Amino acid sequence: QVQLQESGPGLVRPSQTLSLTCTVSGGSITTNRYYFNWIRQSPGKGLEWLGAIDYNGGTYYSPSLKSKTSISRDTSKNQFTLQLSSVTPEDTAVYYCGRFKSTAIVVVPEIDYWGQGIQVTVSS
């Protein structure tokens, strides 16, 4: 059973960088065809996809947030990290990590495993 767990600060000051880590257990982040994602949810906005990192370390970002988003990984710890720079109160949300479903042939753009989410508030 694959499990994902978000960790990081619950409160971040405006203009600072938010850094969240997702720890994956029960499966390797380097397994072929798996993509690991960051998604957030805030009132009135629904779910927003931020970006992903694939099994080779390749990254993909939402165009609207690309300039302030960075995703990286630490394969020795089976973790991947979101960094969101220059945060504002608009970045207040519940942040989730999740894995795209994958077969031997194709990656499916739907989440098969979710973390429980972590509330992040941007406030001075």
Side-chain angles (χ1 to χ4, degrees):
Q1 179 82 0
V2 175
Q3 295 182 331
L4 296 85
Q5 177 66 60
E6 304 89 347
S7 61
L11 178 65
V12 185
R13 304 297 186 186
S15 81
Q16 294 186 336
T17 296
L18 168 66
S19 183
L20 298 174
T21 295
C22 183
T23 300
V24 180
S25 61
S28 174
I29 63 174
T30 64
T31 298
N32 285 356
R33 299 182 185 85
Y34 282 118
Y35 290 67
F36 292 88
N37 304 265
W38 287 101
I39 307 98
R40 68 183 182 184
Q41 184 172 33
S42 60
K45 295 183 179 180
L47 293 173
E48 181 181 19
W49 180 79
L50 304 176
I53 188 164
D54 68 22
Y55 55 98
N56 283 326
T59 53
Y60 312 83
Y61 300 104
S62 171
S64 64
L65 295 168
K66 184 176 181 179
S67 65
K68 60 186 294 183
T69 306
S70 179
I71 299 173
S72 59
R73 67 179 184 171
D74 184 340
T75 58
S76 69
K77 297 180 180 179
N78 216 38
Q79 296 176 329
F80 62 102
T81 297
L82 169 71
Q83 294 189 83
L84 197 66
S85 65
S86 302
V87 297
T88 74
E90 295 299 312
D91 294 310
T92 295
V94 177
Y95 286 75
Y96 299 89
C97 55
R99 192 185 76 175
F100 275 159
K101 183 184 297 183
S102 180
T103 71
I105 301 173
V106 66
V107 176
V108 181
E110 62 183 60
I111 304 295
D112 60 359
Y113 290 97
W114 291 87
Q116 67 181 17
I118 182 169
Q119 173 69 51
V120 177
T121 299
V122 180
S123 176
S124 60

